[in-house]
């Protein structure tokens, strides 16, 4: 699997790092979890309101 680097702001990265450390997981796993949560939220919104229209 190919990995790509994300460019995150320092503040956001530090918050992710602190949360990952407190959960005892790697930063990579924490970022993957955040992406999955975000995608699930999008799918829920699409299910409620139909497809989300781009602006």
């Amino acid at each position: 699997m190919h990995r790509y680097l994300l460019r995150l702001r320092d503040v956001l990265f530090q918050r992710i790092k602190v949360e990952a450390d407190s959960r005892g997981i790697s930063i990579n796993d924490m970022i993957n979890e955040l992406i999955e949560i975000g995608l699930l939220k999008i799918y829920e919104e699409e299910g409620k309101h139909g497809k989300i229209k781009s602006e």
Side-chain angles (χ1 to χ4, degrees):
M1 184 165 109
H2 210 33
R3 300 224 180 235
Y4 297 94
L5 296 175
L6 294 175
R7 293 181 186 222
L8 300 174
R9 292 184 182 195
D10 291 335
V11 173
L12 179 58
F13 180 77
Q14 289 302 320
R15 291 181 71 182
I16 292 170
K17 185 177 183 310
V18 167
E19 183 66 23
D21 289 344
S22 71
R23 292 181 179 203
I25 61 176
S26 71
I27 294 172
N28 189 50
D29 289 341
M30 186 68 203
I31 291 172
N32 285 337
E33 185 178 323
L34 290 169
I35 291 169
E36 289 171 5
I37 290 169
L39 288 173
L40 287 174
K41 183 68 176 167
I42 289 170
Y43 295 152
E44 287 174 1
E45 290 297 317
E46 286 179 348
K48 287 180 190 174
H49 308 289
K51 288 222 172 215
I52 296 174
K53 297 176 182 152
S54 59
E55 296 179 25

